[in-house]
Amino acid sequence: MELNNLKPAEGSRKDRRRVGRGIGSGLGKTAGRGHKGQKSRAGGYHKVGFEGGQMPLQRRLPKRGFKSQSAKYNAEVSLAALERLGAAEVDLVSLKKAGLVPELARNVKVIKAGEITKAVKLNGIAATVGAKAAIEAAGGSLA
């Protein structure tokens, strides 16, 4: 086998369709485009979502909702999750390592869901008013 003898397998490559090359080709005259109309002519075509002048679907349906792009950087941790973690000092890195918050998280807030009995010191983590009271009642603190 030499490089000058390489060729594709038999039948793997079809010849391209040559339209508008006479009646004998089977694709002469209108070249498979039918008769008249915008789709038969060169250059003219509609934009995406165009429905022939009818009000398009994306304009018929109501606008609804809003998804904040900054929400993916915010995370919440419950008091019950802090209790299970069992660490004396908790910061963003330790929460990511434990898998309690996603890797993208930048801002973490402790919410009052569940109970906490162990004293926990929070570094660089916010807490709701109720969660802060529960943490301080258990002997913990926020830094």
Side-chain angles (χ1 to χ4, degrees):
M1 181 186 289
E2 285 103 27
L3 286 174
N4 63 320
N5 292 336
L6 288 178
K7 60 182 184 183
E10 197 63 43
S12 68
R13 292 179 62 89
K14 284 172 66 175
D15 290 336
R16 70 185 181 88
R17 179 175 289 190
R18 297 185 70 221
V19 297
R21 292 297 180 274
I23 200 165
S25 70
L27 286 165
K29 195 182 170 224
T30 55
R33 287 174 172 256
H35 293 281
K36 296 188 184 174
Q38 190 178 19
K39 288 167 109 176
S40 74
R41 305 182 197 286
Y45 211 62
H46 58 77
K47 60 185 175 189
V48 176
F50 185 68
E51 297 183 18
Q54 172 176 298
M55 187 62 70
L57 184 68
Q58 73 269 23
R59 290 189 59 202
R60 285 200 301 268
L61 298 175
K63 291 197 287 187
R64 195 184 142 131
F66 167 78
K67 188 169 182 183
S68 173
Q69 290 302 303
S70 63
K72 60 187 169 191
Y73 302 117
N74 301 330
E76 292 177 346
V77 178
S78 66
L79 288 174
L82 285 180
E83 179 79 19
R84 283 195 305 273
L85 186 62
E89 284 201 24
V90 178
D91 60 355
L92 187 59
V93 178
S94 65
L95 289 175
K96 285 182 181 179
K97 209 171 274 183
L100 291 174
V101 296
E103 284 296 319
L104 278 176
R106 294 179 192 162
N107 309 314
V108 178
K109 194 172 222 181
V110 179
I111 58 171
K112 187 176 185 260
E115 300 293 322
I116 190 162
T117 55
K118 298 172 186 162
V120 175
K121 185 177 185 213
L122 301 180
N123 294 323
I125 295 173
T128 62
V129 175
K132 184 177 178 185
I135 289 166
E136 288 172 348
S141 64
L142 277 81

